[in-house]
Amino acid sequence: MNRCSPFLLIPLLLILSGCNESDSKKSNLEEPIDNTQEVADYYAAYPDFFQIRSLTDVPANLHWQDGSDLPEIGSPDAKKGGSEYVRIQDFPRTLRTVGPDSNGSFRRWILDDTAMSLGHRHPDLMDFFPGLATAWAVDAKTKTVFVKLDPDAHWSDGVAITADDYFFTFWLNRSPYITAPWYNNYYNTQFTGITKYSDYLIAVTIPELKPDTDAKVLGLSPLPRHFYRQVGSDFIERYQWRIAPTTGAYVIHEKDLKKGRSVRLSRNPQWWAGNKKQWRYRYNVDAINLTVIRDTPKEFEAFKRGDIDQISLNLAEYWHEKLPDNDPDVAAGYIEKKVFYNQKPRPPYGLWINTSQPMLDDLNIRLGIQSATHWQLVIDKFFRGDYQRLATANDGYGKFSHPSLKARQFDIKLALDYFAKAGFKQRNSKGILERSDGTRLSFTLSSGYESLKDVLTILKEEAAKAGLEYRIEVLDGTSGWKKVQEKQHDLHFSAFGYALELYPRFWETYHSSNAYDQAFDDLGNPNPDRKLKTQTNNLEAFAQYEMDQLINAYRRSSEEQEMVNLAHKMSEIHHANGSFVPGFYQGFFRMGHWRWVRYPENFSHKHASSATQLFVHWIDQDLKTQTQFAKQQGTAFAASVRVYDRFRN
Amino acid sequence: MHLNLNPQTRKRLQRFRKIRLGYFSFLTLASLVALLCFAELLVNSRALIVHYQGETYFPTYSGFYSGNKFGLDYSYQVNYRQLAAVFAKEQSSNWVLMPLVPYNPYENHSPGSVFKPEPPSFQTQHYLGTDTTSRDILARLVYGTRTALLFAFAFMICVYFIGILVGCSMGYFGGVFDLIFQRLIEIWSNVPFLYMVIIVFSIIPSDASIPARISILLMVMVLFSWTSMTYYMRTETYKEKSRDYIAAARVIGASTMRVISKHILPNVLATLVTFMPFTIVSAIAAITALDFLGFGLPVPTPSLGELLKQGTANLRTAPWIVISAFGTLVALLTLVTFIGEAVRESFDPKKFTIYR
């Protein structure tokens, strides 16, 4: 036997998995493509969607808004310059922002948190302030949003950003070349047209008016027309590692891309928005060095050495034990700790029950599961009381969230009553309930969260007290997600990441058309031949005729109060169905940073989801030298552990 | 005990006994295995004996007793530690005898208010401390080691069974059969073992019960590990086959099965036996490595690899986790290696060698 084979193989595996590029395709990729004609033909083929008009056609009585009265983000004290060192868990699999593998955690550095869109929501007040637009106006009659583009705006390579780039955005996102069905669908169905009045005035039309009609349009980010001239059927390979010009402050230079190891973002000194309001005190650091460190424990060690400047301390273990307030570096003021309570749509962490599975289609069993799942213990003991119990699947939407619904408490007696109603009355030799025919009350509890597997173990131990058996299945993230998308789960522990939106979505998760093909007949009775629909976000296979009607009304409605009422009603129906066991939410974010990383006085903003999201911090070089010297000498500063609870519930 | 051993084997065993390091390692490991077989009596949250209202119960191996049975106000499994405390307080004739370590490897028992690693303490009877979710480390080590050893023995038996069968056939039949199988084995053995285990195991639908999942893992590992044994068996069989006594056996009409099992196998046993301990070592190492990477035994099965992983993630704050797991692994592998070395030496025909 080869005694050391398992250990020798591990590095080999890592090397092998890194080599997935094929050189054979390279020669083809060199061939030039020019899609100018193809794009022009496409515009011509959809004359209703892509329109060109003159400035005289712009309605005269528009009410233009420009968000100029909103308070400024960031601090005037911010110093530009310095280098920041940041950990990334994986090297990005591509530098594309669309197409396969592009929706990874790296995207925030090249798109989500750095690129500019037409307008941006103010992180305190939710209203929009200008990004690439200077002003916008909603014409309710034609369901159109008019947008004046900033003539100063240009791409990082110096080319001006004009209406053509927005036209092209629709072409690319509707194109089959990008292999991104969600984008294809979104840009095909959520917009009904774009009109160019001049190079710097466009209008975008949407199918339904909503309370936040402007949000959908102002959220648009343009794509550089001149850069994507070579898009064709080989888009995915051709653009895999090409660095696109950006609207944002940070650019990547070819030489700073060390595949598999690190990427450096450099602040563009010619960034066009560098002196604009809302932007001038942000993106202060000159160079952001992103280095791959796979393990979180290693990241922590790197942070303690000062190799990286900031670290998220959201996990209780890290906040309370690995970096406690009496840690020598914290006590001496070299490292500062901060907690910030925020308000935002809460990711619905909880158990998603697949109601299309046998037994789980029984309401009594689902209600029994609700009472047999001890989330409060997990929150109190595992998360050390830092997190809070989620009430519904749509918390954190302000008045759209239900004001009084609460998740059901752990109650063994109640759970046993419900299970008894479903025929489970006898305990077997292991204490698990059984029906008289020998059926056991046992379900698979799966999850793609490897790091939270202990949560499942705790739930399992507690559920056994109520005679319910959870068979735990911990998968890696991708296979976990695949399992629920195929609707093969019994109960799945997961959550959706919700973007900052005014009101929750219900269609994706609760509409019957996402659960079954033809769930109901014309009279609203369940169709006996209906087939389960996979690859949708209706993870509960939730299908109720009444809910469908409410969702349709909700989607059509443009009246805010009506939508609020509908949202509450739908939350109540969902609660009564018991197909989602609300888990926990984290009402804050917390982090540690070295003393030389500085933040504005108020640290962060009401709706922010992390401290670094808005790039308001800066590196103070003098403080860095001072702190490093003091650490050598052993002199201490005042300790700083701060709690910002202005927005605490 | 009367064993009909041939004189040579008896001599080898005597030599093995004289190699003290190996012999004592063997005794230690054997007693450890014996103890682990009855781990439920030593490490368990169920009581050994409950004496309640004149009746005596032995819950260790029996079924489930609800709290109501012993006068508590709940219908789920009795918490025997709590029961012991209740009885002690009542000062009645009822009593409970708990095992040495009164915890099972799955329960989260935190002496404090939150689940976090607690250092070893005699007072709370967590003799090696607790892990990150307040499970008793000693309990997890004991059951984890038992699973690893069981797994390793089963692995060895399976690998040897297939290896001997294929290897002997190749050596005995030779010719085209040998040629084809050799090529097949060469190809098969070039499939990277750990990589394949990870791939195959990740696509197996794992909603089966935990024992079923462990058996699947075992099967997959055996499937990619049996090849190396065939080389030794093939050459040994070739060698023995050409000896006169085999020719004699064949001449008097012994069947193939008889020749292989009665004549060849006993004579190649020496080679086999010397490899056994190392197979065990590699099986334990492999299952630990797989667990460490998160591809091994299903959650929440206690295992050495899982503890090692926790330990390395909490080196600063909870060094007792990694010390326990690492210590156990080192001790276990050292014992088996010592035994292996001793076996190899005692089966070595060259008694006096300058290499000693």
Side-chain angles (χ1 to χ4, degrees), chain A residues 175-389:
Chain A
S175 148
Y177 300 147
I178 60 172
T179 332
W182 189 90
Y183 282 82
N184 289 163
N185 175 53
Y186 184 80
Y187 282 87
N188 267 315
T189 59
Q190 300 297 312
F191 301 95
T192 49
I194 176 167
T195 312
K196 170 181 171 180
Y197 291 93
S198 80
D199 272 352
Y200 296 105
L201 183 67
I202 59 169
V204 180
T205 316
I206 59 171
E208 300 288 351
L209 277 186
K210 303 299 288 180
D212 61 342
T213 301
D214 46 356
K216 204 174 267 172
V217 175
L218 292 178
L220 285 173
S221 278
L223 292 169
R225 170 69 190 103
H226 58 290
F227 173 74
Y228 288 111
R229 215 165 276 284
Q230 296 194 7
V231 170
S233 54
D234 61 359
F235 166 76
I236 290 165
E237 293 93 35
R238 190 177 283 257
Y239 282 89
Q240 185 83 345
W241 295 110
R242 290 200 188 182
I243 300 162
T246 167
T247 50
Y250 287 109
V251 291
I252 300 174
H253 300 296
E254 196 82 54
K255 64 175 171 42
D256 294 332
L257 194 67
K258 300 203 170 64
K259 280 195 191 160
R261 283 186 290 157
S262 66
V263 189
R264 184 207 301 250
L265 308 181
S266 310
R267 190 170 196 281
N268 180 4
Q270 272 92 44
W271 183 37
W272 70 274
N275 292 316
K276 301 258 174 191
K277 191 185 172 189
Q278 306 289 10
W279 299 93
R280 55 191 163 180
Y281 305 134
R282 298 165 63 193
Y283 306 99
N284 303 310
V285 184
D286 269 355
I288 300 180
N289 301 280
L290 308 169
T291 313
V292 175
I293 304 177
R294 288 186 196 277
D295 295 337
T296 311
K298 277 198 194 131
E299 178 199 13
F300 183 74
E301 295 302 319
F303 172 70
K304 283 283 276 180
R305 277 164 50 107
D307 290 349
I308 56 177
D309 300 298
Q310 322 195 47
I311 191 169
S312 153
L313 297 171
N314 283 336
L315 286 174
E317 189 187 336
Y318 281 85
W319 179 263
H320 294 290
E321 259 143 57
K322 296 203 168 172
L323 194 67
D325 294 353
N326 59 9
D327 180 275
D329 289 332
V330 177
Y334 308 142
I335 292 177
E336 302 184 355
K337 289 171 71 179
K338 292 190 165 77
V339 194
F340 188 89
Y341 286 86
N342 59 357
Q343 299 271 333
K344 67 183 194 82
R346 304 298 178 190
Y349 282 100
L351 307 187
W352 299 74
I353 302 177
N354 184 353
T355 59
S356 69
Q357 298 281 18
M359 299 212 285
L360 292 174
D361 53 5
D362 184 337
L363 180 65
N364 282 319
I365 290 195
R366 292 201 300 271
L367 292 177
I369 289 174
Q370 297 272 352
S371 302
T373 308
H374 204 344
W375 276 114
Q376 199 55 48
L377 184 80
V378 172
I379 292 168
D380 291 345
K381 296 217 159 185
F382 184 74
F383 294 125
R384 298 164 202 216
D386 295 345
Y387 291 3
Q388 274 159 309
R389 184 86 198 264

Side-chain angles (χ1 to χ4, degrees), chain A residues 517-531:
Chain A
D517 285 327
Q518 293 190 326
F520 303 107
D521 61 20
D522 298 336
L523 299 171
N525 300 315
N527 170 9
D529 302 325
R530 62 189 186 180
K531 277 211 185 77

Side-chain angles (χ1 to χ4, degrees), chain A residues 1-7 9-10 12-13 16-17 297 300-301 304 317-318 321-322 377-378 380-382 384-385 412 416 427-432 444 450 453-455 457-458 460-462 464-467 471-476 479 483 488, chain B residues 46 63-64 75-77 104 106-108 110 112-117 132-133 135 155 159 192-195 198 205-210 213 225 228-229 232 275 278-279 281-282 285-286 289 293-294 298-300 306 309-310 312-314 316-317:
Chain A
M1 291 293 292
N2 185 353
R3 265 178 279 166
C4 49
S5 60
F7 294 113
L9 275 168
I10 297 165
L12 191 69
L13 295 184
L16 281 175
S17 58
F300 183 74
E301 295 302 319
K304 283 283 276 180
E317 189 187 336
Y318 281 85
E321 259 143 57
K322 296 203 168 172
L377 184 80
V378 172
D380 291 345
K381 296 217 159 185
F382 184 74
R384 298 164 202 216
I412 296 174
L416 290 173
R427 287 189 190 251
N428 70 8
S429 65
K430 285 187 176 149
I432 302 304
T444 302
E450 240 254 285
K453 62 178 193 299
D454 294 330
V455 167
T457 325
I458 297 168
K460 176 191 166 94
E461 288 292 305
E462 293 301 308
K465 292 183 180 168
R471 297 188 305 267
I472 296 177
E473 183 183 17
V474 178
L475 303 155
D476 66 274
S479 10
K483 186 174 174 116
Q488 285 172 345
Chain B
R46 290 189 178 187
F64 144 100
S75 65
Y76 50 90
Q77 166 108 302
N104 74 41
Y106 301 108
E107 63 183 331
N108 313 95
S110 90
S113 58
V114 294
F115 294 150
K116 63 170 194 172
T132 48
T133 47
R135 294 177 296 199
F155 174 80
V159 164
F193 154 77
L194 200 66
Y195 208 6
I198 291 173
S206 36
D207 44 4
S209 65
I210 285 178
R213 280 149 79 173
S225 315
S228 53
M229 205 57 231
Y232 305 109
F275 281 116
F278 302 114
T279 311
V281 168
S282 77
L293 294 174
V299 177
E306 194 254 353
K309 193 175 185 174
Q310 275 193 31
T312 49
N314 296 284
R316 268 177 204 268
T317 42

Side-chain angles (χ1 to χ4, degrees), chain A residues 395-416:
Chain A
D395 281 10
Y397 285 96
K399 56 188 166 192
F400 286 91
S401 296
H402 199 285
S404 58
L405 275 183
K406 287 271 171 289
R408 296 172 179 89
Q409 295 295 311
F410 180 70
D411 185 336
I412 296 174
K413 219 180 142 312
L414 195 61
L416 290 173

Side-chain angles (χ1 to χ4, degrees), chain B residues 28-320:
Chain B
T28 317
L29 190 68
S31 37
L32 193 69
V33 172
L35 274 182
L36 287 178
C37 288
F38 301 100
E40 278 84 359
L41 295 172
L42 300 168
V43 182
N44 203 341
S45 61
R46 290 189 178 187
L48 293 173
I49 308 167
V50 179
H51 187 80
Y52 180 66
Q53 296 183 344
E55 274 195 70
T56 312
Y57 302 87
F58 301 92
T60 311
Y61 292 107
S62 75
F64 144 100
Y65 290 117
S66 77
N68 301 332
K69 179 127 192 150
F70 299 118
L72 300 175
D73 58 349
Y74 51 81
S75 65
Y76 50 90
Q77 166 108 302
V78 188
N79 181 337
Y80 291 96
R81 291 188 303 272
Q82 186 197 5
L83 188 68
V86 170
F87 286 174
K89 209 171 160 192
E90 283 173 359
Q91 295 187 327
S92 57
S93 62
N94 303 332
W95 51 269
V96 176
L97 179 65
M98 291 301 288
L100 275 177
V101 181
Y103 301 102
N104 74 41
Y106 301 108
E107 63 183 331
N108 313 95
H109 174 264
S110 90
S113 58
V114 294
F115 294 150
K116 63 170 194 172
E118 298 280 353
S121 149
F122 275 88
Q123 202 190 350
T124 55
Q125 291 184 288
H126 288 299
Y127 301 110
L128 291 180
T130 66
D131 73 358
T132 48
T133 47
S134 288
R135 294 177 296 199
D136 187 68
I137 291 179
L138 184 53
R140 290 188 73 74
L141 266 185
V142 165
Y143 288 97
T145 311
R146 182 163 84 168
T147 320
L149 278 175
L150 258 178
F151 189 88
F153 280 121
F155 174 80
M156 185 190 74
I157 291 168
C158 297
V159 164
Y160 277 51
F161 181 76
I162 304 177
I164 290 170
L165 197 75
V166 176
C168 279
S169 317
M170 279 161 64
Y172 191 80
F173 298 117
V176 182
F177 180 82
D178 183 26
L179 205 73
I180 291 173
F181 253 88
Q182 258 189 312
R183 297 295 89 74
L184 280 180
I185 286 170
E186 273 162 20
I187 295 167
W188 193 245
S189 61
N190 271 314
V191 179
F193 154 77
L194 200 66
Y195 208 6
M196 283 315 291
V197 174
I198 291 173
I199 292 172
V200 174
F201 198 61
S202 65
I203 55 171
I204 287 172
S206 36
D207 44 4
S209 65
I210 285 178
R213 280 149 79 173
I214 296 178
S215 337
I216 293 172
L217 181 64
L218 178 69
M219 260 162 48
V220 176
M221 274 179 66
V222 168
L223 206 62
F224 290 96
S225 315
W226 57 271
T227 49
S228 53
M229 205 57 231
T230 57
Y231 295 117
Y232 305 109
M233 290 311 298
R234 177 178 163 274
T235 42
E236 285 293 315
T237 314
Y238 252 123
K239 201 172 82 188
E240 295 299 322
K241 189 188 157 194
S242 57
R243 296 242 163 119
D244 290 346
Y245 72 94
I246 300 288
R250 289 169 73 183
V251 165
I252 60 171
S255 71
T256 308
M257 265 319 282
R258 188 178 169 82
V259 172
I260 291 181
S261 60
K262 287 277 173 186
H263 299 288
I264 295 182
L265 260 188
N267 285 298
V268 300
L269 210 63
T271 327
L272 270 182
V273 169
T274 53
F275 281 116
M276 279 182 181
F278 302 114
T279 311
I280 300 258
V281 168
S282 77
I284 294 177
I287 187 74
T288 310
L290 276 172
D291 271 329
F292 186 81
L293 294 174
F295 292 100
L297 305 173
V299 177
T301 320
S303 83
L304 293 171
E306 194 254 353
L307 266 181
L308 266 183
K309 193 175 185 174
Q310 275 193 31
T312 49
N314 296 284
L315 272 179
R316 268 177 204 268
T317 42
W320 54 89

